[in-house]
Amino acid sequence: MDTKILKVLFILVSSFLYWNSAEDYSPEEIVALKLILPLVNQSLYREYMRSDPFLITYLRTSNLQLQEASDMILKTMKWRQDHRIDEIVNEVIPIEKEMPYDLRTVDWEGRPVYSMKIAEWDLRKYTLSGKAYDAHRVGMKIMEQVGNLIRHYAKLHPTNNHNITKVTALVDLNGYSWKLHACPECLRLSENILVDIEAHWPQICANFLFFNSPRIFEVTITVLKAFMDYTMKNGLHTYG
């Protein structure tokens, strides 16, 4: 199925998935937001990192446990600096052209949409040719671009910015291959990317929509679910 058609279908599906998905904060979350900032403020080196939409993702992931959320945030700050994440958007990664993706679409509420065709990604080739690190870095570059877009669109729609905090992934599985996408090395690469997303961009994915899903993909997604938190698991939707 053509990706343009998939994007139209996505808009229709997302209208049902998102219609009541406001990101309002509970009274307990409001208190937690006030308490956590003094604990981590000195380590937050970008202004957006001090914002409620950024901090709430760590608090929700930790079930509002201040110490756990603080530890997660501090580890993320160190990880971002160790891996030069702030410069990654402008970085030229050798195999990036071999991993095409699109971030030009928004959903009906103004949130960014990430889309890709699995047939254009040869995970087996990347891993066997010693380019797994580059492929992983492309994944991190995508996530940093997504974060930047979320903040950009939130500023464009200030009256609705409480809703523009996440992204939806639209993946066309036509051409999905056990050999190219689910080999042991391929799964390890996917797992490593998921682990970093969960740790350093928690709860950033509203939905994963998989179209043209073959039966063998169910095995893959079962394995990968072990590396997803409850919000990402709840956002998984597959369509044959």
Side-chain angles (χ1 to χ4, degrees):
M1 187 182 296
D2 186 84
T3 300
K4 291 182 179 179
I5 298 176
L6 287 175
K7 289 181 179 179
V8 173
L9 289 175
F10 159 73
I11 293 173
L12 295 176
V13 171
S14 66
S15 66
F16 293 99
L17 295 175
Y18 283 135
W19 74 276
N20 192 28
S21 61
E23 292 286 340
D24 295 330
Y25 303 142
S26 69
E28 294 80 8
E29 289 175 339
I30 293 173
V31 172
L33 284 167
K34 291 180 179 179
L35 294 175
I36 195 171
L37 186 55
L39 300 178
V40 297
N41 189 47
Q42 289 187 342
S43 298
L44 304 178
Y45 57 91
R46 294 282 188 270
E47 189 58 35
Y48 77 83
M49 295 173 178
R50 298 181 174 89
S51 67
D52 289 349
F54 178 83
L55 297 171
I56 196 64
T57 60
Y58 294 90
L59 285 166
R60 286 175 174 169
T61 300
S62 66
N63 294 316
L64 304 186
Q65 299 299 307
L66 291 176
Q67 188 59 58
E68 182 179 344
S70 298
D71 290 344
M72 289 178 62
I73 292 171
L74 295 177
K75 287 178 181 178
T76 292
M77 297 302 104
K78 184 178 187 306
W79 177 84
R80 289 182 63 88
Q81 294 174 337
D82 289 347
H83 295 273
R84 309 182 314 281
I85 300 301
D86 294 287
E87 294 81 38
I88 199 170
V89 170
N90 298 317
E91 181 178 325
V92 178
I93 303 173
I95 65 169
E96 187 172 6
K97 291 184 178 180
E98 300 177 34
M99 302 174 68
Y101 56 92
D102 189 281
L103 285 169
R104 294 173 295 177
T105 306
V106 297
D107 71 12
W108 70 303
E109 288 207 19
R111 288 168 287 209
V113 175
Y114 161 77
S115 61
M116 55 89 74
K117 296 181 179 180
I118 195 65
E120 297 177 330
W121 287 34
D122 190 339
L123 300 186
R124 179 179 173 86
K125 174 184 174 182
Y126 309 148
T127 56
L128 294 184
S129 62
K131 297 179 180 178
Y133 174 80
D134 287 339
H136 187 137
R137 198 143 178 86
V138 171
M140 300 304 95
K141 181 172 183 176
I142 292 170
M143 297 312 302
E144 187 68 0
Q145 288 176 307
V146 164
N148 290 343
L149 282 173
I150 288 173
R151 291 185 290 276
H152 171 70
Y153 291 136
K155 288 181 179 179
L156 292 180
H157 305 281
T159 60
N160 191 40
N161 60 13
H162 66 288
N163 254 4
I164 306 176
T165 60
K166 298 179 185 293
V167 65
T168 284
L170 175 63
V171 181
D172 182 357
L173 291 174
N174 185 37
Y176 182 85
S177 163
W178 187 269
K179 179 180 179 180
L180 301 181
H181 305 112
C183 64
E185 295 82 4
C186 305
L187 288 178
R188 192 172 302 113
L189 172 59
S190 298
E191 291 165 4
N192 289 339
I193 292 174
L194 276 175
V195 167
D196 275 343
I197 292 174
E198 294 283 12
H200 307 301
W201 291 277
Q203 302 197 8
I204 197 170
C205 296
N207 288 290
F208 263 114
L209 304 180
F210 296 98
F211 290 88
N212 298 319
S213 176
R215 293 183 65 182
I216 60 171
F217 181 69
E218 295 303 319
V219 178
T220 301
I221 203 64
T222 299
V223 173
L224 295 180
K225 278 183 178 179
F227 300 89
M228 300 178 182
D229 70 6
Y230 68 93
T231 57
M232 190 175 289
K233 288 178 184 177
N234 290 341
L236 290 174
H237 304 276
T238 58
Y239 305 90

